[in-house]
Amino acid sequence: MATGLLKGLGVTFQEMFRPKVTTKYPDEPYVFPNRLRGIQKLYVEKCIVCHQCANICPTQCITIKEKPKTDPAQKKKELAVFDINFEICILCDLCTEVCPTEAIVMTSNVELAETSRADLHKDLPWLEANNTNVREVNKP
Amino acid sequence: MATLRTEELVLNVGPQHPSTHGVFRLIVTLDGETIVDARPVIGYLHRGTEKLAEDLTYTQIIPYTDRMDYLSAMIGNYALVHAVETLMGLEIPERAEYLRVIAMELNRIASHLVWFGTYLLDLGAITPFLYAFREREKILQLFAEISGARLTYSYMRIGGVKWDVPDEGWLGRVERFVDDFERALEEFHTLVTGNEIVQARLKGIGRIDRETAIAYGLTGVNLRSTGVAYDVRKAKPYSIYDRFEFEVPVRTEGDLWARYLLRLEEMEQSRRIVKQAVRQFPSGGEIMARMPKLIRPPAGEVYTSVESPRGELGVYIVSEGKPQPYRIHFRRPSFVNLQILPRLLIGENVANMIAILGSIDIVLGEVDA
Amino acid sequence: MPAALGAVVLLLVVLGLVTFAVYVHRKLLGWMQGRHGPTHTGPYGLLQTIADTVKLLQKEDVIPAQVDRPLFRLAPIIAFAPSFVVLAVIPFAPGLTFADVGVGLLFYLAVASVTTLGVIAGGWAANNKWSLIGALRSAAQMVSYEVPLALSALAVVLMAGSLNLNAIVEAQARSVWFVIPQALGFVIFLIAALAELNRTPFDLTEAESELVAGYLTEYSGVRFAFFMLGEYVYLFAMGALIATLYFGGWLPPHPALAFVPGIVWFLIKALFFAVLPFWLQATFPRARVDQLMGLAWKGLIPLAMVNLVLTAALKTWL
Ligand code: SF4
Ligand code: SF4
């Protein structure tokens, strides 16, 4: 009558001797697959300030401003401000997908926890400095 | 003898309650142990997806579909791109279709695994949950490798898929997973299905009959447990489902036990589909159809539906030929299926309340959208 | 004076055992679920329980506004104190019983049922519907299962001819361990004991998925710790009682093994039965409340009666 119960006990008993599946995060870093969509890395000099990333972003979390040209003969546009608001960025990959020059690319860094909301507004220097774990396909 | 006067007890279940699977609130009125009234309160997770989508291009809506039924984002993605593709009359490359089917069926398994684990947690068994998540973790790893996300995949694009397989070995790993998964399913059956306590708690409870199920517009397992063999994959085949051999499991009892067994059986069927898809996988080819830079479907309207783990997930689009839809509506199976809850609960013993709620298998992200 | 000293020693030993039991509980559950269990605090996570206790003690003492304050404060103590008191009558080794009461078994059963009062008081005082339902369920359950528990224990008393736990062990030294003639009684006792302890599959009182946390819903910090402490002490006490009644207490399995001190045998047996519920918890879901009552009144009690009559017959004619 109670065979099902006993068989169940057998299953849990055997499990004790199987290898464990949990990892030792955060003692040991957890390596994500290379494609993982994490925090973006920005290559400032590559950006042509075309605003495509800001336009495609479904949550409108990218703010871009162009630097006023010092020399009127200068062709290339330069970035003055490039902010991503990680309070609302959903890491959807669309911005990096549309960027024509691969100026903005994904890294697989995901640790974004901060103690204040303001810290989640990442600016140009921060995004430029975030250059670990960049996707292989986007490596310059 | 004068009868003892008893008072009805109004009990507020949720929105913070361990077993409402998200932010769902249920106001039940009890007479002793019997439920005399049950009023679901929804909307705690309402984000206005449909209204937001009217200001977004079709590509931009894809990430929003991830967040409706977040347990089966692949299928949510597909439902949207499939509707747009139908409206545009696109031909999808074969390789992309295979990748889509593999992704969707793995996602169906992952979604049912979450259901299985949390449902048993509702019933008070803690271990099946961890076993289920152990298996699901393998799927999420495969998904993270191919799409770059563990939950909100945004993997499908209008006209194809975003990524090809990440490396040569990926398909092999998928196949290894589906082979190993057979053993896991067996383990679930030994640990849970055979357990007499589980059977005693599920058999004969929460009965839905065929007519009621149809009248309430139930779909998915909730409908199939009442003896109606309706599965969109068979009834209105989409993608390349007509190329695979699989069955639509049906039972006639209509109770919790039937729904439990059907979901386990569906995992087995999905396993079969993935296996066939991996075997037939084309060796080369494109993963994206030729697409204009800005997607502008022709003016008109379209309704398509797909079989999500929870039932028929429909997408209705009215287009004016602009990059944004004029109106988009999602027929969310969780929302429709939830409507039967008060009817199932009234008259039941309160001890069955959580078991019945869990068996409908709702995802609050989808109920509220 | 030595009696008081003995009590303090007992208290400390039991506290140590409880710390250990919580650790074993979490480790075992972890292993059975493919996890490691606690690993972080101290070597192999051994200090985890202590860290948790310290955390609980540090917590703000929250008393919700609408509760019945005196009762709310008193309930954890009522629930916890008996768990220690019952340990007094358990014979740990030959001559090592803290209070060799003549009616030891009766004393155990009687004092243990006081805990139910603490649970009801806590659930009632909290002035929360979940607590109330949890407490009422628990009262119903504990009262129902005390009957088969006592009835099956009574059969043991018939066999041994005494209510004194020491005498019961000695009776087993003369014949065999009572689990053999009392196999049916043992199964009934085990099931009823699980229900008494509110362990899976009978953990309805704190059925997390249904009742939030049952009678514990409004408790936190120290008071919560008291309830938990009581529960784990009972776990050990019940293991000790099972070992005493059915597995010969401090007796070695074979006279040839008598060189191992009795206390070791006793602890092995008692701890085994204290740990067994964890394994069940890792495997089983929860039974439904009405099925539970059905099992007690329609299943266990008649069976226990039959067992009692059979034992009496055995005693009379053999
Ligand atoms: S990842 Fe998505 S949400 Fe985030 S900045 Fe890029 S487009 Fe916007
Ligand atoms: S899409 Fe690329 S190039 Fe254009 S503004 Fe954004 S980052 Fe710069």
Side-chain angles (χ1 to χ4, degrees):
Chain A
M1 167 216 151
T3 48
L5 299 179
L6 295 179
K7 275 190 195 152
L9 285 173
V11 172
T12 41
F13 190 74
Q14 280 168 14
E15 182 68 29
M16 278 207 282
F17 306 104
R18 293 226 190 96
K20 308 286 170 272
V21 293
T22 43
T23 60
K24 292 226 163 81
Y25 182 86
D27 289 348
E28 290 165 13
Y30 185 84
V31 184
F32 286 109
N34 189 255
R35 273 184 194 172
L36 197 92
R37 307 202 296 257
I39 310 154
Q40 290 89 337
K41 146 88 184 150
L42 177 71
Y43 293 97
V44 178
E45 68 296 345
K46 279 195 200 171
C47 176
I48 53 171
V49 202
C50 66
H51 291 274
Q52 284 194 51
C53 52
N55 289 338
I56 191 92
C57 177
T59 61
Q60 275 120 47
C61 61
I62 308 184
T63 317
I64 299 180
K65 283 213 182 77
E66 196 192 328
K67 211 183 254 178
K69 285 177 189 148
T70 40
D71 171 10
Q74 178 195 353
K75 275 267 172 61
K76 191 174 180 297
K77 296 178 176 178
E78 280 178 12
L79 271 179
V81 174
F82 193 106
D83 286 353
I84 300 184
N85 176 0
F86 281 97
E87 271 183 74
I88 55 176
C89 169
I90 52 177
L91 298 173
C92 66
D93 215 356
L94 289 180
C95 51
T96 57
E97 193 173 302
V98 293
C99 180
T101 62
E102 296 195 351
I104 184 143
V105 295
M106 285 271 171
T107 72
S108 59
N109 299 335
V110 293
E111 282 162 356
L112 252 179
E114 300 283 1
T115 45
S116 107
R117 290 187 152 208
D119 292 344
L120 285 170
H121 294 248
K122 302 296 187 197
D123 56 5
L124 188 146
W126 195 96
L127 289 167
E128 190 174 21
N130 178 32
N131 59 1
T132 50
N133 298 323
V134 175
R135 260 188 204 152
E136 293 296 334
V137 285
N138 298 120
K139 285 253 171 83
Chain B
M1 196 186 85
T3 47
L4 205 61
R5 197 178 69 90
T6 54
E7 266 179 46
E8 288 182 345
L9 179 73
V10 179
L11 199 59
N12 182 37
V13 186
Q16 285 108 354
H17 183 280
S19 297
T20 51
H21 300 284
V23 278
F24 172 65
R25 182 171 167 215
L26 190 63
I27 305 170
V28 288
T29 312
L30 301 179
D31 181 7
E33 289 266 307
T34 317
I35 299 174
V36 290
D37 190 22
R39 279 195 299 130
V41 182
I42 60 172
Y44 292 94
L45 208 58
H46 183 68
R47 288 147 298 174
T49 307
E50 290 175 6
K51 188 69 196 166
L52 281 171
E54 290 171 18
D55 287 330
L56 298 170
T57 64
Y58 290 97
T59 313
Q60 286 176 325
I61 304 173
I62 295 173
Y64 283 82
T65 59
D66 285 343
R67 287 157 178 81
M68 281 201 307
D69 180 355
Y70 41 75
L71 294 181
S72 61
M74 288 288 184
I75 295 168
N77 288 172
Y78 182 77
L80 176 75
V81 297
H82 179 51
V84 180
E85 284 159 3
T86 314
L87 190 59
M88 297 171 76
L90 280 180
E91 189 69 33
I92 309 302
E94 191 165 63
R95 194 177 170 90
E97 289 282 27
Y98 273 97
L99 282 169
R100 283 176 173 186
V101 167
I102 292 174
M104 284 195 285
E105 291 309 315
L106 282 178
N107 207 176
R108 192 182 311 276
I109 296 178
S111 170
H112 280 331
L113 279 174
V114 176
W115 175 83
F116 172 78
T118 51
Y119 192 55
L120 266 295
L121 211 53
D122 288 352
L123 297 182
I126 44 181
T127 303
F129 173 77
L130 284 137
Y131 290 2
F133 269 57
R134 179 186 67 202
E135 298 306 317
R136 176 173 178 258
E137 183 60 33
K138 298 175 190 162
I139 302 181
L140 295 193
Q141 181 67 27
L142 291 170
F143 280 167
E145 283 168 16
I146 196 168
S147 76
R150 290 166 52 87
L151 202 61
T152 49
Y153 313 110
S154 288
Y155 177 59
M156 317 266 174
R157 290 289 183 272
I158 294 153
V161 293
K162 176 163 165 65
W163 298 96
D164 204 340
V165 290
D167 55 69
E168 291 302 308
W170 192 80
L171 284 172
R173 291 199 291 281
V174 170
E175 186 158 15
R176 182 133 36 88
F177 166 76
V178 289
D179 288 343
D180 291 350
F181 187 62
E182 191 169 18
R183 208 206 87 244
L185 270 180
E186 246 164 54
E187 191 180 75
F188 294 164
H189 280 301
T190 333
L191 180 62
V192 181
T193 314
N195 189 308
E196 281 84 357
I197 303 174
V198 173
Q199 295 181 8
R201 287 204 60 179
L202 299 185
K203 281 186 181 164
I205 311 289
R207 274 237 160 82
I208 310 177
D209 62 47
R210 195 189 159 102
E211 281 66 40
T212 322
I214 294 172
Y216 273 85
L218 300 190
T219 46
V221 169
N222 292 311
L223 178 65
R224 289 194 286 276
S225 71
T226 64
V228 186
Y230 176 73
D231 182 318
V232 187
R233 288 175 295 177
K234 286 270 194 213
K236 297 179 245 166
Y238 52 92
S239 191
I240 47 168
Y241 276 106
D242 45 1
R243 299 190 199 174
F244 305 114
E245 257 177 52
F246 65 99
E247 276 139 42
V248 178
V250 179
R251 293 186 80 87
T252 48
E253 300 95 322
D255 57 0
L256 306 185
W257 179 241
R259 275 168 254 162
Y260 165 83
L261 286 178
L262 282 184
R263 290 199 174 102
L264 282 180
E265 181 56 28
E266 282 199 359
M267 286 197 244
E268 170 61 21
Q269 296 302 331
S270 294
R271 203 182 71 81
R272 278 177 68 190
I273 299 177
V274 175
K275 190 142 177 87
Q276 295 170 47
V278 171
R279 288 269 159 80
Q280 302 172 8
F281 197 76
S283 52
E286 289 292 308
I287 56 158
M288 272 298 265
R290 285 201 161 277
M291 298 295 298
K293 198 141 180 30
L294 191 59
I295 294 160
R296 254 186 242 268
E301 52 187 82
V302 67
Y303 175 82
T304 57
S305 61
V306 302
E307 183 74 21
S308 96
R310 271 148 276 283
E312 177 170 351
L313 172 59
V315 178
Y316 175 64
I317 297 176
V318 181
S319 163
E320 286 184 324
K322 296 212 186 94
Q324 295 90 5
Y326 173 75
R327 175 85 171 90
I328 188 161
H329 175 69
F330 297 96
R331 181 207 188 271
R332 287 122 40 211
S334 290
F335 175 72
V336 179
N337 291 349
L338 185 60
Q339 312 306 319
I340 201 167
L341 182 68
R343 170 157 179 160
L344 283 183
L345 285 183
I346 290 172
E348 271 293 344
N349 188 311
V350 65
N352 290 326
M353 175 175 75
I354 293 296
I356 291 175
L357 171 63
S359 82
I360 299 179
D361 188 15
I362 50 167
V363 167
L364 266 298
E366 194 180 56
V367 171
D368 293 342
Chain C
M1 206 50 211
L5 198 68
V8 172
V9 171
L10 177 67
L11 189 79
L12 290 179
V13 169
V14 171
L15 280 180
L17 276 176
V18 167
T19 319
F20 175 71
V22 177
Y23 175 75
V24 170
H25 183 189
R26 297 186 53 181
K27 273 286 184 198
L28 265 186
L29 274 189
W31 290 339
M32 290 185 173
Q33 300 172 340
R35 300 183 288 121
H36 289 280
T39 53
H40 240 270
T41 333
Y44 304 103
L46 271 167
L47 301 180
Q48 185 66 45
T49 319
I50 300 177
D52 285 346
T53 319
V54 171
K55 187 202 81 176
L56 274 181
L57 297 184
Q58 277 177 348
K59 284 217 165 172
E60 186 194 347
D61 181 22
V62 183
I63 299 188
Q66 300 294 320
V67 303
D68 182 337
R69 281 171 167 259
L71 207 52
F72 190 79
R73 291 219 176 98
L74 196 61
I77 300 167
I78 306 181
F80 155 79
S83 67
F84 265 114
V85 175
V86 295
L87 283 176
V89 295
I90 301 282
F92 288 88
L96 186 60
T97 311
F98 289 89
D100 195 1
V101 185
V103 287
L105 183 59
L106 188 63
F107 179 83
Y108 182 107
L109 293 177
V111 172
S113 50
V114 173
T115 295
T116 318
L117 282 184
V119 168
I120 301 184
W124 177 260
N127 197 7
N128 173 321
K129 286 169 188 167
W130 298 112
S131 301
L132 184 63
I133 297 180
L136 288 181
R137 271 194 188 184
S138 124
Q141 177 182 334
M142 286 176 162
V143 169
S144 319
Y145 276 88
E146 240 157 54
V147 183
L149 190 79
L151 281 177
S152 49
L154 205 56
V156 171
V157 173
L158 272 185
M159 300 280 299
S162 167
L163 275 167
N164 182 302
L165 291 173
N166 269 312
I168 290 176
V169 176
E170 271 148 24
Q172 296 182 62
R174 270 177 270 125
S175 58
V176 283
W177 289 2
F178 286 156
V179 65
I180 297 167
Q182 286 293 324
L184 177 63
F186 168 65
V187 173
I188 298 171
F189 191 89
L190 192 66
I191 297 175
L194 282 175
E196 276 292 292
L197 293 170
N198 291 323
R199 307 306 305 195
T200 316
F202 308 112
D203 55 341
L204 287 152
T205 36
E206 341 162 0
E208 202 213 336
S209 48
E210 297 167 28
L211 293 180
V212 191
Y215 66 93
L216 290 172
T217 307
E218 296 289 358
Y219 278 99
S220 61
V222 191
R223 286 174 234 282
F224 177 77
F226 263 94
F227 275 115
M228 290 316 277
L229 186 61
E231 247 179 52
Y232 278 99
V233 176
Y234 263 124
L235 210 55
F236 176 69
M238 199 52 103
L241 189 64
I242 293 176
T244 310
L245 290 184
Y246 293 98
F247 290 85
W250 69 73
L251 299 174
H254 191 271
L257 290 167
F259 61 89
V260 183
I263 180 113
V264 175
W265 288 120
F266 176 78
L267 282 180
I268 291 177
K269 294 172 195 169
L271 288 179
F272 175 78
F273 284 102
V275 164
L276 183 70
F278 303 151
W279 184 14
L280 302 183
Q281 186 189 5
T283 313
F284 296 153
R286 187 178 299 125
R288 207 173 61 215
V289 60
D290 48 332
Q291 292 167 346
L292 193 75
M293 291 301 158
L295 178 67
W297 293 101
K298 295 184 206 145
L300 293 185
I301 293 179
L303 269 180
M305 296 275 199
V306 170
N307 183 45
L308 192 61
V309 172
L310 283 180
T311 313
L314 206 75
K315 253 323 232 191
T316 323
W317 287 301
L318 286 183

